[in-house]
Amino acid sequence: EKVAPDSTTTITTTSLGGMAEETDHDSNNDDFVTPPIYYFGFGAMVNETSRKRRHVKSRFEQPAILHDYKLLFVIPGAATVTPCQGEQVHGVLMELTPSSWNKTLGFEKGYSVVQEEVHPYKVNDGGTAQSP
């Protein structure tokens, strides 16, 4: 099963004074839930090894683009996205468990949560992802 072609997903982005909040789901739940928790990962979160090291359980990982945002490295090794008309950020759209979502909020300190539309890459018959 793949993510819908024009899904709306929750992404994290920096905001002065903003703090991310936990979901209404049981924060210790390590099962996937309905409605799903979608997350757009960028920076280190696109790397499966980084997610495993952080004990983030995901599924339906799919390359995607966030339009009208720009990727910034505010300090060495710390990525963020900020609104910027005409720019785009490539990352990974994934479904998280409530416990993984709350873990993500824990190590993404100083970020706020916003809802934005992302566009998954198209996957051809051979299984290769192509940028939309």
Side-chain angles (χ1 to χ4, degrees), residues 2-21:
K2 290 287 184 186
V3 177
D6 287 315
S7 297
T8 298
T9 185
T10 302
I11 66 166
T12 57
T13 184
T14 55
S15 174
L16 292 175
M19 289 304 297
E21 297 180 12

Side-chain angles (χ1 to χ4, degrees), residues 39 45 54 56 100 102-109 111:
Y39 173 76
M45 289 299 287
R54 295 174 177 187
V56 172
S100 290
N102 289 318
K103 286 175 191 171
T104 300
L105 297 178
F107 57 75
E108 299 287 7
K109 297 287 186 199
Y111 286 69

